[in-house]
CSV table of all heavy atoms in Angstrom, one decimal:
chain,number,residue,atom,x,y,z
A,1311,ALA,N,11.1,-82.9,204.5
A,1311,ALA,CA,12.2,-84.0,204.1
A,1311,ALA,C,12.6,-83.8,202.5
A,1311,ALA,O,11.6,-83.2,201.9
A,1311,ALA,CB,11.7,-85.3,204.4
A,1312,PRO,N,13.8,-84.1,202.2
A,1312,PRO,CA,14.0,-84.1,200.7
A,1312,PRO,C,13.1,-84.9,200.0
A,1312,PRO,O,12.4,-85.8,200.3
A,1312,PRO,CB,15.4,-84.7,200.7
A,1312,PRO,CG,16.0,-84.5,202.0
A,1312,PRO,CD,14.9,-84.5,203.0
A,1313,MET,N,12.7,-84.4,198.7
A,1313,MET,CA,11.8,-85.1,197.9
A,1313,MET,C,12.3,-85.7,196.7
A,1313,MET,O,13.3,-85.2,196.1
A,1313,MET,CB,10.7,-84.0,197.4
A,1313,MET,CG,10.1,-83.3,198.6
A,1313,MET,SD,9.2,-81.8,198.0
A,1313,MET,CE,7.9,-82.7,197.0
A,1314,SER,N,11.9,-86.9,196.2
A,1314,SER,CA,12.3,-87.4,195.0
A,1314,SER,C,11.7,-86.7,193.8
A,1314,SER,O,10.8,-85.7,194.0
A,1314,SER,CB,11.8,-88.9,194.9
A,1314,SER,OG,10.4,-88.9,194.8
A,1315,ILE,N,12.2,-86.9,192.6
A,1315,ILE,CA,11.7,-86.2,191.4
A,1315,ILE,C,10.2,-86.5,191.2
A,1315,ILE,O,9.3,-85.8,190.7
A,1315,ILE,CB,12.6,-86.5,190.2
A,1315,ILE,CG1,12.2,-85.6,189.0
A,1315,ILE,CG2,12.3,-88.0,189.7
A,1315,ILE,CD1,13.2,-85.6,187.8
A,1316,GLY,N,9.9,-87.9,191.6
A,1316,GLY,CA,8.3,-88.2,191.5
A,1316,GLY,C,7.5,-87.4,192.4
A,1316,GLY,O,6.5,-87.0,192.0
A,1317,ALA,N,8.0,-87.2,193.5
A,1317,ALA,CA,7.3,-86.4,194.6
A,1317,ALA,C,7.2,-84.9,194.1
A,1317,ALA,O,6.0,-84.4,194.3
A,1317,ALA,CB,7.9,-86.5,195.9
A,1318,VAL,N,8.2,-84.5,193.5
A,1318,VAL,CA,8.1,-83.1,192.9
A,1318,VAL,C,7.2,-83.0,191.9
A,1318,VAL,O,6.4,-82.1,191.7
A,1318,VAL,CB,9.6,-82.7,192.5
A,1318,VAL,CG1,9.5,-81.3,191.7
A,1318,VAL,CG2,10.6,-82.6,193.6
A,1319,LEU,N,7.0,-84.1,190.9
A,1319,LEU,CA,6.2,-84.0,189.8
A,1319,LEU,C,4.8,-83.9,190.4
A,1319,LEU,O,3.9,-83.1,189.9
A,1319,LEU,CB,6.4,-85.2,189.1
A,1319,LEU,CG,5.4,-85.5,188.0
A,1319,LEU,CD1,5.6,-84.5,186.8
A,1319,LEU,CD2,5.6,-86.9,187.3
A,1320,GLU,N,4.5,-84.7,191.4
A,1320,GLU,CA,3.0,-84.7,192.0
A,1320,GLU,C,2.7,-83.4,192.6
A,1320,GLU,O,1.6,-82.9,192.5
A,1320,GLU,CB,2.9,-85.8,192.9
A,1320,GLU,CG,3.1,-87.3,192.3
A,1320,GLU,CD,1.9,-87.5,191.2
A,1320,GLU,OE1,0.7,-87.0,191.5
A,1320,GLU,OE2,2.2,-87.9,190.1
A,1321,ALA,N,3.7,-82.7,193.3
A,1321,ALA,CA,3.5,-81.4,193.8
A,1321,ALA,C,3.2,-80.3,192.8
A,1321,ALA,O,2.3,-79.5,193.0
A,1321,ALA,CB,4.7,-81.1,194.9
A,1322,LEU,N,4.0,-80.4,191.8
A,1322,LEU,CA,3.8,-79.3,190.7
A,1322,LEU,C,2.6,-79.6,190.0
A,1322,LEU,O,2.0,-78.5,189.5
A,1322,LEU,CB,5.0,-79.5,189.8
A,1322,LEU,CG,6.4,-78.9,190.4
A,1322,LEU,CD1,7.5,-79.1,189.4
A,1322,LEU,CD2,6.2,-77.4,190.7
A,1323,ARG,N,2.0,-80.8,189.8
A,1323,ARG,CA,0.9,-81.1,188.9
A,1323,ARG,C,-0.3,-80.5,189.5
A,1323,ARG,O,-1.4,-80.3,188.7
A,1323,ARG,CB,0.7,-82.5,188.7
A,1323,ARG,CG,1.7,-83.2,187.6
A,1323,ARG,CD,1.4,-84.5,187.2
A,1323,ARG,NE,2.0,-84.8,186.0
A,1323,ARG,CZ,2.2,-86.0,185.5
A,1323,ARG,NH1,1.7,-87.1,186.1
A,1323,ARG,NH2,2.8,-86.3,184.3
A,1324,ALA,N,-0.3,-80.1,190.8
A,1324,ALA,CA,-1.6,-79.4,191.5
A,1324,ALA,C,-1.8,-78.1,190.7
A,1324,ALA,O,-2.9,-77.7,190.5
A,1324,ALA,CB,-1.3,-79.2,192.8
Side-chain angles (χ1 to χ4, degrees):
M1313 304 169 65
S1314 68
I1315 193 169
V1318 172
L1319 178 66
E1320 290 306 311
L1322 290 172
R1323 276 186 168 170

